[in-house]
Amino acid sequence: MTEAAFTSEILESGNLLTGPWRRPAQMLHAQVYDSHASIHDDATAQKLGFQGGTIEGPTHFSQFAPLCERIWGPAWFETGCLSAHYRNPAFEGEEVQANIEKPQPGQTTLAIGMTKRDGTEILRGTASIGGSGAETALAKRLGELKPLADPVILADLKVGMKTGRQTVKMDFDQNMGDLYPFSLAEKLKVITEPSAYYSQELNPWGRAIIPFEMLSVLFQYRAREDRLPIRGPAVGLFADQEIRLLRGPLFPGEAYTTEREVVALSGSRRTESMWVRTTVFAADDRPVATMLLNLASMKDSYANYEREHKALYG
């Protein structure tokens, strides 16, 4: 016996399907990494020119789940992919709305977007099922990147660097640590799109599944233990993110292993970015999911930036 995956109202607007307006909850006020507060802390964010602590990007992924499930059904939970370039931050209390283009028969890759009430674009990208991964928004974006010039924060990092494998697991009542100081059960109380699939066995897999946005938490759970050679402390933010299921869904209480590889380095006037692909393996040692993450470090947040730049490049 199964229940409907979602009860979210979905509307048609021109060539788009849109979800409800939602106010995502901020759960990272207390996030700490490298012994300092993060971009999700109001005071830290304001020092860097933001109006307050930002909503973490993958929180928005939940609003796309009902749209994708409406189009592709259970296949969305098995081989679904969200590939997004974050354009502007959202802040607690603000309303945002997800949209996806209407599909043609058999279409497996669709454009997605999210906006605020005032029209500010939060993210853009693609949603897809199956495929090789070459058709996603970030696959195309990776191919257009310019190499990072004169790195400081990432001066010691090289494309191709890999980390050792780590075991990760997410139980319902497990606090996910300094990076994610909350549990899955706490998230489910405030998630923008509730689903019986997340907490009951009334779904095609006979057990609760992990929501798409919480896959980011699971995959990043032990990321700070990788000790990639990044200079700091510096404040970072997610600038691009893609989560792709290969043999989903993933389940609470089940152990997985992760392995990371630096696949690109890029930058902007304000940031230095490392692009890391995380491959997630199940107990049978076969990949079940991947995540591509562009973690952008804010130059202004690194106290030694100018001095080290001068020392490195004259």
Side-chain angles (χ1 to χ4, degrees), residues 294-308:
N294 170 8
L295 184 61
S297 296
M298 307 287 291
K299 295 177 182 178
D300 289 349
S301 71
Y302 181 40
N304 297 327
Y305 194 91
E306 293 299 332
R307 179 169 59 81
E308 291 188 19

Side-chain angles (χ1 to χ4, degrees), residues 118-181:
D118 64 3
T120 300
E121 185 181 35
I122 299 300
L123 64 83
R124 65 173 66 168
T126 57
S128 57
I129 58 166
S132 66
E135 68 285 351
T136 70
L138 293 195
K140 295 175 181 177
R141 186 166 167 78
L142 267 182
E144 299 169 353
L145 289 178
K146 295 180 180 179
L148 175 60
D150 298 349
V152 175
I153 298 170
L154 304 181
D156 306 311
L157 202 64
K158 304 298 181 186
V159 172
M161 282 185 173
K162 285 188 176 183
T163 68
R165 290 198 185 185
Q166 297 174 328
T167 300
V168 296
K169 186 175 70 166
M170 177 182 291
D171 292 315
F172 274 102
D173 295 319
Q174 175 186 351
N175 183 292
M176 298 304 290
D178 287 347
L179 283 179
Y180 301 99

Side-chain angles (χ1 to χ4, degrees), residues 122-266:
I122 299 300
L123 64 83
R124 65 173 66 168
T126 57
S128 57
I129 58 166
S132 66
E135 68 285 351
T136 70
L138 293 195
K140 295 175 181 177
R141 186 166 167 78
L142 267 182
E144 299 169 353
L145 289 178
K146 295 180 180 179
L148 175 60
D150 298 349
V152 175
I153 298 170
L154 304 181
D156 306 311
L157 202 64
K158 304 298 181 186
V159 172
M161 282 185 173
K162 285 188 176 183
T163 68
R165 290 198 185 185
Q166 297 174 328
T167 300
V168 296
K169 186 175 70 166
M170 177 182 291
D171 292 315
F172 274 102
D173 295 319
Q174 175 186 351
N175 183 292
M176 298 304 290
D178 287 347
L179 283 179
Y180 301 99
F182 56 87
S183 67
L184 173 58
E186 290 170 327
K187 167 60 75 171
L188 292 178
K189 292 177 181 177
V190 298
I191 198 167
T192 55
E193 314 301 323
S195 173
Y197 284 21
Y198 299 152
S199 57
Q200 301 179 30
E201 298 178 356
L202 302 176
N203 65 42
W205 305 278
R207 56 193 293 199
I209 68 174
I210 298 175
F212 225 88
E213 71 165 280
M214 289 296 286
L215 293 176
S216 176
V217 175
L218 177 66
F219 301 165
Q220 285 289 101
Y221 175 44
R222 299 182 62 189
R224 302 309 294 183
E225 298 175 33
D226 285 344
R227 309 321 305 176
L228 288 167
I230 302 168
R231 303 187 186 191
V235 175
L237 53 83
F238 291 3
D240 300 87
Q241 188 171 23
E242 174 182 298
I243 294 177
R244 182 170 178 240
L245 293 170
L246 305 174
R247 295 187 297 136
L250 277 67
F251 304 104
E254 191 158 318
Y256 301 93
T257 56
T258 59
E259 180 181 79
R260 292 175 176 80
E261 179 180 3
V262 179
V263 296
L265 300 174
S266 65

Side-chain angles (χ1 to χ4, degrees), residues 36 41 114 137 167 232 312:
H36 64 85
D41 168 72
M114 176 172 280
T167 300
L312 286 166

